[in-house]
Amino acid sequence: LAFGSKQAIIEDDAPFFPSPFSVLLLEGFELKVMCLFMYIFVNMSRIRRDLSSPPSFYTFATLVVSSFGGGIIVPVLLNLPIVPFNDLSITVLIVVFAVQHYFPTVVEVYRQSVLLHFFSTIMFQAYRATVLTGVVLKALDAISPSFYDFALFGPIMCGTLGGCGGGFMPLSKGLEPLRNGANASVMTALIAATAFRVWLLKGGDVVDGKIGVSLFLIGTALYGLYDLNRPAGSSIKIAKSPSKQE
């Protein structure tokens, strides 16, 4: 379209999301490390039941498999290096373990703070989204088409495990987490992996797909955190420190 002597150029391949949303891709090293730290910190806060005693080696081992369960199961299926072989991941995990070991008060403050829960949820889910979408893309390269002309269910299954695999670790749990139905972690991972795979099949932009998955996981997590269906005027329930009798 011409307006005087100038032309208005419309780019058909313009990104769907504005550029500020690209922060959810965690492309910056510092941002990625901060989100990884919070991801592991939240996981360890859920594992620890009694803050009066220091975390044990069993806690450390459980933290490894619960934080990187998807990064262990999926690479084994795809014949790729597993996440615990990544020095950065283990280094951050050791730092988190040391912080909670020597400063247990930090965990208690986190459990009581609405604000910390809000920001930690965003960082946790943003990192989870990068893992999920990264696993789907790696699965596309590793899995050859079989029945269809494209790999469909393999990448979706790998993406789902990448987004919630830690919930099934250690392996002694088996399928026990699914006994009473799929929880929110499993369902959101399945929906996100399916939507991302379909988006790519339709020729959608990879970056837009990654941002969309991140926004979906963050949105559903915040919805569950603050329970938007609660009665008006009621207080927000934030996880408290479990008692020793639990």
Side-chain angles (χ1 to χ4, degrees):
L1 298 176
F3 298 93
S5 58
K6 296 183 179 180
Q7 289 185 339
I9 301 176
I10 302 177
E11 297 183 1
D12 295 333
D13 58 348
F16 180 82
F17 293 101
S19 56
F21 283 93
S22 62
V23 69
L24 297 175
L25 300 175
L26 307 185
E27 293 179 337
F29 177 77
E30 295 82 2
L31 182 59
K32 182 178 181 180
V33 171
M34 287 191 295
C35 289
L36 174 60
F37 178 93
M38 188 55 67
Y39 179 83
I40 299 173
F41 182 90
V42 172
N43 273 332
M44 187 169 180
S45 299
R46 293 172 177 173
I47 293 172
R48 296 189 66 188
R49 309 297 294 174
D50 183 10
L51 296 179
S52 62
S53 58
S56 62
F57 183 76
Y58 176 81
T59 304
F60 181 86
T62 303
L63 180 62
V64 172
V65 296
S66 64
S67 296
F68 307 121
I72 296 174
I73 299 174
V74 176
V76 169
L77 297 176
L78 300 180
N79 194 28
L80 297 172
I82 63 176
V83 170
F85 288 168
N86 184 299
D87 290 337
L88 174 62
S89 299
I90 296 301
T91 300
V92 175
L93 187 142
I94 292 173
V95 171
V96 171
F97 186 86
V99 168
Q100 293 208 17
H101 183 280
Y102 294 106
F103 307 100
T105 306
V106 175
V107 183
E108 191 64 36
V109 172
Y110 161 75
R111 287 175 174 171
Q112 303 294 333
S113 173
V114 174
L115 188 62
L116 287 179
H117 270 73
F118 175 79
F119 285 108
S120 66
T121 297
I122 294 176
M123 298 172 73
F124 182 98
Q125 297 300 333
Y127 184 80
R128 181 180 172 220
T130 62
V131 173
L132 188 154
T133 54
V135 166
V136 171
L137 293 174
K138 288 183 179 179
L140 288 175
D141 293 332
I143 300 176
S144 302
S146 52
F147 183 74
Y148 301 107
D149 294 332
F150 46 83
L152 178 60
F153 294 109
I156 291 175
M157 292 177 63
C158 289
T160 302
L161 288 172
C164 69
F168 298 94
M169 301 294 278
L171 292 176
S172 57
K173 284 185 177 181
L175 297 178
E176 189 64 26
L178 300 178
R179 180 175 294 277
N180 297 319
N183 57 30
S185 177
V186 175
M187 287 304 301
T188 53
L190 175 60
I191 294 172
T194 303
F196 185 60
R197 181 65 188 106
V198 172
W199 173 262
L200 296 178
L201 281 175
K202 294 294 185 180
D205 182 70
V206 175
V207 172
D208 284 338
K210 289 181 176 181
I211 295 175
V213 168
S214 185
L215 290 175
F216 169 74
L217 294 180
I218 292 173
T220 53
L222 290 177
Y223 182 93
L225 175 66
Y226 293 104
D227 188 9
L228 299 184
N229 289 321
R230 69 186 187 281
S234 61
S235 59
I236 296 174
K237 294 182 179 180
I238 296 298
K240 305 285 183 166
S241 176
S243 63
K244 295 181 181 180
Q245 289 76 20
E246 291 181 329

